[in-house]
Amino acid sequence: MPSRSDITYFGAGPALLPTDILEDAAKALLNYHDTGLGIAEHSHRSQLAADVINQAKADLVSCLDIPDDYEILFMQGGGTGQFSATAYNFVGAWVTRKQQEIFGEIKGDPNDSKVIQRLKEAVDKDLKIDYLITGGWSQKASAEGERLFGSEHVNIAADSRKTNGGKFGTIPDESTWKLSKDAALVYFCSNETVDGVEFPGFPKSLQPGPDGKGPIVVADMSSNILTKKIPVKNFSAIFFGAQKNLGPTGITVVIIKKSFLPPFTSQPSANLMRQLGLPIPPIIFQYETIAKNNSLYNTLSIFDVYIIGQVLRKLLQTYPDKVEGQQAVSNKKAQLVYDAIEAFPEIYQIIPNKAVRSRINICFRVIKGGDMDTAERAFLEEGIAQGLTGLKGHRSLGGIRASNYNSVPLEGAEKLAKFIRAFAMS
């Protein structure tokens, strides 16, 4: 049986975690800080739990240079839960803004029937949620927005399948995007885990203008967070599951601009939303509730947050330049693998377009001998024999997928690149 040190794991998630952090976590699970209790057994209402949360938040701020006017929330429900939560909360914020605009024109009670009627007309005519569809996850996000709010309120601003023969693998040119004038949010997935497509930078058409204002941008960064420096100030919210680059499955992190939280913005009452024919979020998905309670409205897994904190602390200790140091390593690992694949075009085919191919989820087909199924089966079997595991592509796409998360060491990428070359020449 192979030992942990014999394996280099390239699975798409849950992803590999650093062995030293798991070893320390195992001790903490039995007896945390000589309290006689494991960290998973301490009350989430305790000062110990609050300290774990606050330290993890502080280290995430340091890693990503998050500005002071942003809040960090630890939530549950995964990235899929955030497809709902972002739509609920930002539509609510849109309704609040419209109500204030209309109330400013109609003097009196903001709940007056005239205000409500004008608001209902604005919802029916103007409420839009914009989506940029570039892969399976953004497609699912848009489908959830449509399920909750109806197709009349969802605007597909771009869909890469329409310009790529019905398949994902590109990002449409920004000149073709059909963005709404006053969308409640514009959603995009920064890195499509399934399809191997990554936005190379922040979209120019979504950047704030000289007045600092611009579209309300929400990004899913579940698979490429902490792999590169990001302009946090350009986003209204960023969310990501922990299970790729931060920790185990179970925690979802939301970085949200404080202007969308009380006292700056409050969600409309449930009664108002019902009058407008709009859904209301489960309270556990309401950002202002989570923020007010420092992510402890209900029982949060402090053990999972503890591991997140340890991963962040290790990143800060390893790289004096924080996430930029990790970015250099991530880029180098990806280049090693792509160079090996590109050296044998008669053996391998990279799935996405070169301009948008992911540094994090490297998706390709093996065409050796003309029988892809046989060739890929052999590739996977020989890889496993050499300790290279988790390389099978997503069931919807097939092929090979090497997920280059932060916990994959440089030596692991070198080993994979060497195997790719050897298999091609065998």
Side-chain angles (χ1 to χ4, degrees):
M1 295 291 289
S3 67
R4 185 175 179 86
S5 60
D6 295 327
I7 298 298
T8 305
Y9 182 60
F10 293 94
L16 188 72
L17 283 165
T19 298
D20 57 341
I21 286 177
L22 289 179
E23 289 171 342
D24 288 344
K27 296 174 184 176
L29 199 54
L30 290 173
N31 188 353
Y32 183 67
H33 286 186
D34 295 323
T35 59
L37 288 176
I39 190 168
E41 298 164 309
H42 280 274
S43 169
H44 65 297
R45 303 294 184 199
S46 66
Q47 185 60 48
L48 178 150
D51 291 344
V52 168
I53 289 172
N54 292 336
Q55 187 61 58
K57 288 168 66 173
D59 287 340
L60 184 59
V61 166
S62 181
C63 283
L64 293 177
D65 292 325
I66 299 172
D68 291 340
D69 57 342
Y70 285 77
E71 182 60 81
I72 296 170
L73 313 176
F74 293 117
M75 299 180 68
Q76 298 166 61
T80 302
Q82 290 304 313
F83 297 162
S84 306
T86 52
Y88 281 133
N89 285 273
F90 283 97
V91 166
W94 185 94
V95 168
T96 295
R97 289 196 302 277
K98 289 297 177 183
Q99 184 183 30
Q100 291 169 347
E101 290 174 14
I102 294 168
F103 179 58
E105 298 172 11
I106 302 174
K107 304 302 181 182
D109 184 352
N111 296 311
D112 181 85
S113 60
K114 291 181 180 179
V115 175
I116 303 300
Q117 181 57 36
R118 282 274 301 278
L119 191 53
K120 181 70 167 65
E121 291 169 0
V123 166
D124 293 343
K125 179 175 177 289
D126 299 325
L127 174 60
K128 294 293 181 184
I129 313 171
D130 282 9
Y131 292 91
L132 306 175
I133 299 181
T134 56
W137 290 115
S138 49
Q139 190 278 323
K140 288 183 178 181
S142 68
E144 181 67 351
E146 186 171 328
R147 188 183 72 86
L148 294 174
F149 291 93
S151 59
E152 67 273 20
H153 294 306
V154 168
N155 173 46
I156 306 303
D159 187 335
S160 62
R161 294 171 296 185
K162 293 184 177 180
T163 56
N164 194 46
K167 296 180 179 180
F168 294 123
T170 63
I171 296 176
D173 189 274
E174 290 188 40
S175 64
T176 67
W177 295 2
K178 299 185 180 344
L179 297 167
S180 302
K181 183 179 180 182
D182 182 29
L185 66 91
V186 181
Y187 164 96
F188 73 93
C189 182
S190 180
N191 183 83
E192 292 280 3
T193 316
V194 172
D195 303 280
V197 170
E198 183 177 21
F199 278 79
F202 189 87
K204 292 180 180 178
S205 58
L206 302 182
Q207 289 179 358
D211 58 356
K213 296 180 180 180
I216 294 168
V217 181
V218 173
D220 178 353
M221 294 190 177
S222 290
S223 50
N224 67 346
I225 195 69
L226 291 173
T227 68
K228 64 177 182 178
K229 189 174 179 62
I230 54 177
V232 177
K233 61 182 177 57
N234 288 356
F235 297 90
S236 299
I238 299 166
F239 67 84
F240 43 93
Q243 69 273 13
K244 312 290 188 181
N245 288 307
L246 267 173
T249 302
I251 298 293
T252 308
V253 185
V254 178
I255 303 170
I256 182 169
K257 199 170 181 65
K258 289 179 180 177
S259 59
F260 290 97
L261 299 170
F264 307 102
T265 301
S266 294
Q267 288 292 302
S269 69
N271 182 56
L272 175 58
M273 294 294 276
R274 278 192 285 267
Q275 290 183 72
L276 298 175
L278 296 173
I280 57 174
I283 197 164
I284 200 61
F285 279 168
Q286 194 168 58
Y287 292 153
E288 65 180 47
T289 299
I290 304 303
K292 180 181 177 181
N293 291 276
N294 193 28
S295 300
L296 291 171
Y297 179 77
N298 68 330
T299 307
L300 188 71
S301 174
I302 301 304
F303 176 65
D304 291 338
V305 179
Y306 164 78
I307 294 181
I308 288 171
Q310 296 306 298
V311 170
L312 291 168
R313 180 58 56 88
K314 182 172 184 174
L315 189 150
L316 289 169
Q317 292 172 346
T318 304
Y319 303 108
D321 48 354
K322 300 179 286 192
V323 76
E324 290 180 77
Q326 178 64 66
Q327 178 175 346
V329 175
S330 296
N331 292 350
K332 184 175 183 179
K333 290 189 295 177
Q335 195 62 53
L336 280 167
V337 177
Y338 277 120
D339 284 350
I341 298 169
E342 289 185 313
F344 302 94
E346 73 283 5
I347 304 296
Y348 305 111
Q349 287 183 349
I350 298 172
I351 295 175
N353 181 276
K354 187 171 184 176
V356 298
R357 65 189 188 187
S358 171
R359 302 164 304 120
I360 309 305
N361 303 105
I362 301 169
C363 299
F364 60 99
R365 304 305 303 257
V366 184
I367 57 174
K368 185 178 184 180
D371 185 343
M372 278 198 298
D373 288 342
T374 300
E376 288 172 352
R377 201 159 41 241
F379 183 94
L380 293 170
E381 289 173 358
E382 292 184 31
I384 290 171
Q386 296 193 29
L388 302 168
T389 64
L391 287 167
K392 188 175 182 179
H394 190 272
R395 61 187 179 278
S396 67
L397 191 64
I400 309 299
R401 174 174 55 174
S403 292
N404 177 35
Y405 299 131
N406 289 352
S407 56
V408 174
L410 180 60
E411 295 76 18
E414 290 171 340
K415 186 177 180 181
L416 176 59
K418 183 178 179 180
F419 168 66
I420 289 170
R421 293 176 183 275
F423 182 85
M425 294 184 290
S426 63

